Every structure is written in C-alpha cells, then in structure tokens.
Amino acid sequence: MRHSLVALTAAMSLFGVPAWAAETTPANPAKDASQATAAANQTLLGKLPFADRADYEAARRGLVAAFEGQVLNAAGKPVWNSHAYDFLQQKDAPDTVNPSLWRMAQLNANAGLFQVTEGLYQVRGMDLANMTIIEGKDGVILIDPLYATETAKAALELYYQHRPRKPVVAVIYSHSHVDHFGGVRGVVDEADVKAGKVRIYAPDGFMEHAISENVLAGTAMFRRSMYQGASLVPRGERGQVDAGLGKAGPVGGTISLIAPTDLIVKPLETHEIAGVQVEFQLTPGTEAPAEMNLYLPQLRALCMAENAVMTMHNILTPRGAEVRDAKAWSRFLDDSLVRYGDKADVMFVSHNWPTWGGEGIRTLLADQRDMYAFINNRTLNLLNQGLTPLEIADTVKQLPGELDRKWYARGYYGSLSFNTRAVYQRYLGFYDGNPANLNPLPPVESGKHYVEALGGADKVLELMRTAMAKGEYRWAAQLGNHLVFAEPDNKAAREAQADALEQLGYRSESAIWRNIYLTGTQELRNGAPQQGGKAIEDLVRAATPTMFMDVLAVRLDSDKAVGHDMTLNWNFDDLGQRFALTLRSGVLTYRENASHAKADATVTVSKATLDRISLGQLDFPTALQQGDIKVEGDGARFKALLGSLTRFQPIFNVVTP
C-alpha cells in the first residue's frame, strides 16, 4: 500500500517553488550573437526614441538609500543578489540583447529605498515586485509585501534604517498573485493579526484566487514558470537580463500567507487606516481575478496596483492562467482616469517606478486604456474577417500611431503577438476553424512524417543551417522542432535547434520571450533539470477541503480506475464538512455537504492531518496506524482509489519529447 499512499501524498503537494540556485553555470555555455542578430538589434536603435532619458531620471528619483548586496535565507544561501546584474552598468547594449530590452533591464536594476512623496516610500529592486510604505499616525501601512519573507524583511529593515521605526499596523494585498503577498510573514507576526494589532486588507475573492490559481494546473504552471522566469539561466548578457516587471523572483525564498482580516467587497470603499484615508477601487477580472487600485486623497497619490505598469502586460501569461479580459481592463483604466486623473499628483504601481505630474498620469492611463482596447478590438476585427490566430499575430505587428513609440506600451512583459492570440482564444478558443487543424498529429508522430517528407534528418539539418545563415531563425526553429521530436537523441539536431532558439532570444524585446527561448536553449544543450520543488506551508494550510477534492479528481488516472466503481463518504471531523464521492466508469465526482446512504467506505480525517501529509511531516501509513485517519467499511475500495492516483513530476520535458 506504500506506493498508493505516496501517490496521495503527492496529490496533496499542491504548490511548489524552485529549489535551486539561478547562478548555476551550465556545462555547455551560451554562444555569441550571429551577424544577422547583431544587425537586427542595431536596426532597432533608429526606430525608437532612445535619446529620451526621462525614465532614467524617474527610476532614480527620490532615492534615499541604494541596495547593493545579497539577501540570505535561513540556510545562508542567497535568495537575492543585486550584484548578479552589475553587467547592466555597461551603457550600450551588447549584440546579444535587444537594445530596447537592455534599456528596460537597466531601469529595473535601480534598487533601494525611494521617497515617492511626503509620507510615502517604496522599496524597489529587491524582489520582482515593489513594497510600498505609507507613514500613518501611529504606524506604517505596507502595500504588497513582496514574494518571499526574506526579501520582505530586508526591504522593511532598509526602510527602518532611514525612517522612524514605527510598527506595521496594516498590510494591503493589492491582488492575488504570490509576488504581492508571499513575504507577509517577514514583516508582520500572525499573532499580532489575530490580536487585532495588524489589519490585512484584500480585494473580495482574494483567498480563493490566491490559492486556486495554481492548484488544478499547478504542476504544469510551475514548470512553465521556470521558462518564463529563466530561473535556471545564468544572469548576464548571454542569459537572463530582466523579467519586464522587474529583475526576477527570489530563488529559494520562503513564501507565506496570512489571511486577510478585511475584504473590500464594494466597487468603491473608503477606510481610515492609521489616520490615512484610503479609497479602494475594485477591478476584478483585469490583471488578476481579484485586484484593486487605491487612492490616497491626503497625499494626492494613486496606486494602480498592476493594472498600469511601465510595460504592456499579458492578456494570457505564457506560464499559463485564465485568459484576461482586455475590454474590461481598458474600461477599468478609463474609470480610474475619470475618477482620479485630476486628483493625483503621483501614480505609483506594484512594479517598475512611479509617474509624477497630473498630465503624465492622465496620458499614461489614457494610452494604456487605448492599448488594451486596441488589442481587443483589432483582434475581433480581424477574426471576423476570417483571419486565424497566427495570421492575426503576424498582421498586428505594432500599436497604432504614437502608441508604438511610448516606452510604457512596449512589450517587455506582454507582447502583441501573444496578446492578440489570447483575445482570439477568449472569444473563439484555440481552434482556428481550418478542418486540417481539427485533429492534427501529435508532435512526435508529426515530426517523424515531416522529417521523412523533407528527405531525412541530414536534409532537415541542412535546411535549418541554410535558414540560419539567412537569419531566418523562426523557420529554422520550426524545422528543428520537427527534427528533435522525431529524433530526440540526435545530438546535431538538438545543437542546431538550441542555436536557433538562442538567436531568437537575443533578438526578443520581451523579457519573458527571451527567458523562454534561452531556457529552451539551455535544456537542449544540457538536459532538463533534475530538482523539484517544495510545498508552501501557508498555501497548503489555506487550501479548502473542496480544493482537495478537485485535486483528487484531477490526479485520478481514469485508465487505472475503470473497473473500481465505488462510493465513499469523506468526513473532515475538525471542520464538520462532509463529501460524498462517487467513482464511476473511471470518473471521480463529489457532492459537498452530503453523504451516501450506503457507502462502500467512510473516511474520517482532519484537514490538519492532510496538511501534515502534504507537507511531508506525516505519511499515510503512520496516520492510519495512529488513528489520525479512520476507514470504516471496505478498506480495499479506498486502497483501490489511492492506487489509481497519478503522481505528477514537477519536471517534465518541454523542448524534447
């Protein structure tokens, strides 16, 4: 029964974080830019207003103290290292980096404590996101306590080194993504929250979305996040230079979560916190399913959370998520413009740097409103003319008019190509309407047919090299993908495909496209990593019993489960919650707050026990032996269920079969 119980333990490990050092040097290092790539990058210098240095001044404005050094975890290992980006001090972009992305990477490298306006500070460049500190009458209010407890603690300590050491009396989570709440235990004690000394504010639906977004597709999302963030690619001019929204997420840090004490449920709510008036504006379904902006009338300061950062954002993030609503996003930006455009002297956000001056704020909000409206409407215009997703992406190559020359509308994080396809998916799904694409062959089988049709592996390699010699790396990568999937052990094919992806990465203006290409390059040359992740204690404990049942259903291998029909009653005795499970024809379903009149077996367990199993603090056999889990009735049926569960591996192949 050990194997079956281990499977269930794995099923409860809902969340993972990278457990490796990003600075690891791969066995096969990166190569130089080709002449074609260098020329393409140089051409961009004449197309964008690089002489405009206003953002460089804005990104350094209000600097109180720079941060230079490392943040260590409990094991003494660095989770954040500002010196890893010292190479960005070089003024001109090397041939291996798109010059527009190099500019953004330099701007995001400004790290330290900054004064935004009187009584309002930000710590930037010590994590992927910013932590904002509002100075109240009897304490400080923190907005978005970063990704990891270690970086959050270091950020607050940097603030205290230069400002009065007032206690933290409130925390505000602007939205439900982990880089905006994960460091909370580094800045407040949960005992103080429970005692009412610290209030935590969040938008309605925060807990549900903070946990559930990464549950059902969590393993795949975690693996794809490694590509998007280039978590294993060395920092440097041939490697990771930026993440668009900031430098990167901390590696090996501790993620935490403390549940909110106060949920913002109305479209507009005003609260007085530590003597500071805060008006909350809910913006559900924009950059996050649970998100809100804030306005501070006493400071004439507007916080746009992650709804209006210094880059085009993602309508669909490459790591995976629900497709966002570009039309709603545009409308909420306009609502903010109308409501606060004439009231704000400074606008600060959860990433990048602030915008000062009413005219600049109004222009930025209007431009980003128009940007998302254009992406939505132009995609719909073209799909209604019969264009497919790839045709639309290749048609919409730039934003209209002056928008395309606005730095904060460039695609450092999101991209026009990906965003137009996301809008298509939102309205019409992934199928492009062509019957030939209704049921295409899977990659391996398709690759074998293509290689055979093109004259064999040597011929495909020749075609790839010819394409690369012409600078046609997109075509080379398409050819190489077929060849690698047809012959994954073909070393020459893997090397050629790595070379093609590498040059595409060097050309990319999007930081995350570059990261994805270069991660693929590294894995083709060195193989996929072997390390996995670890469970995040606070998120596991916060997961509801209903989420556990959903995970159980997702992890069921229907092929193994066929022939084991059963009914189970599952009781959480510490919470008083009941579930009636039915396994029928290899499909597991459940009913909440219900019980089968004649169940094959009844399982009684506490949520706390399942949490301990998920965190590796207890195993199923021990829990059964100790009586922490009780099974009444036909225990063999319960064993059959456990034996039908899939154990997901956190690392699976992406650029190879």
Side-chain angles (χ1 to χ4, degrees), residues 213-237:
E213 183 180 55
N214 295 316
V215 171
L216 299 183
T219 302
M221 199 176 290
F222 163 70
R223 179 68 170 119
R224 286 165 60 141
S225 293
M226 293 174 61
Y227 270 67
Q228 181 170 315
S231 55
L232 295 186
V233 175
R235 280 63 174 126
E237 2 181 291

Side-chain angles (χ1 to χ4, degrees), residues 29-41 94-99 101 237-239 464-465 467-477 494-510 513-522 524-525:
K31 298 182 180 180
D32 290 333
S34 68
Q35 290 184 351
T37 293
N41 283 341
D95 291 339
T96 54
V97 184
N98 180 296
L101 176 57
E237 2 181 291
R238 292 178 180 82
M464 285 183 70
R465 289 167 178 154
M468 286 191 279
K470 296 178 181 178
E472 297 175 352
Y473 295 106
R474 288 173 67 190
W475 173 231
R494 292 166 68 106
E495 289 177 351
Q497 180 69 343
D499 290 347
L501 295 182
E502 186 169 54
Q503 297 303 317
L504 288 170
Y506 289 166
R507 294 184 179 200
S508 295
E509 184 177 32
S510 166
W513 277 39
R514 176 186 176 92
N515 292 343
I516 291 167
Y517 281 131
L518 296 188
T519 300
T521 297
Q522 184 166 296
L524 283 163
R525 289 176 178 157

Side-chain angles (χ1 to χ4, degrees), residues 55 58 103-104 107-108 122 124 128-130 132 144 174-175 177 179-180 242-246 283 286-288 291-293 302-315 324 329 332-333 336 347-355 360-361 363-372 399 403 406-415 419 512:
D55 281 342
R103 173 189 175 278
M104 187 61 158
L107 291 166
N108 281 334
Q122 281 191 318
R124 304 199 289 269
L128 179 60
N130 303 331
T132 302
D144 292 348
S174 69
H175 60 290
H177 293 154
D179 51 323
H180 302 271
D242 203 60
L245 294 174
T283 62
T286 52
E287 187 273 334
E291 187 150 357
M292 61 186 181
N293 302 325
L302 173 63
C303 173
M304 288 299 294
E306 203 168 317
N307 285 321
V309 289
M310 293 297 177
T311 171
M312 179 188 297
H313 214 295
N314 284 303
I315 304 303
R324 296 155 186 170
W329 200 331
F332 275 117
L333 285 171
S336 298
M347 184 184 80
F348 61 98
V349 286
S350 298
H351 295 276
N352 310 124
W353 55 93
T355 300
I361 293 168
T363 301
L364 187 151
L365 290 175
D367 282 343
Q368 293 215 341
R369 172 201 64 194
D370 296 347
M371 174 178 68
Y372 293 119
L399 294 171
L403 274 180
K406 298 291 181 74
W407 290 114
Y408 50 65
R410 303 298 297 179
Y412 303 113
Y413 191 60
S415 65
N419 282 344
I512 59 177

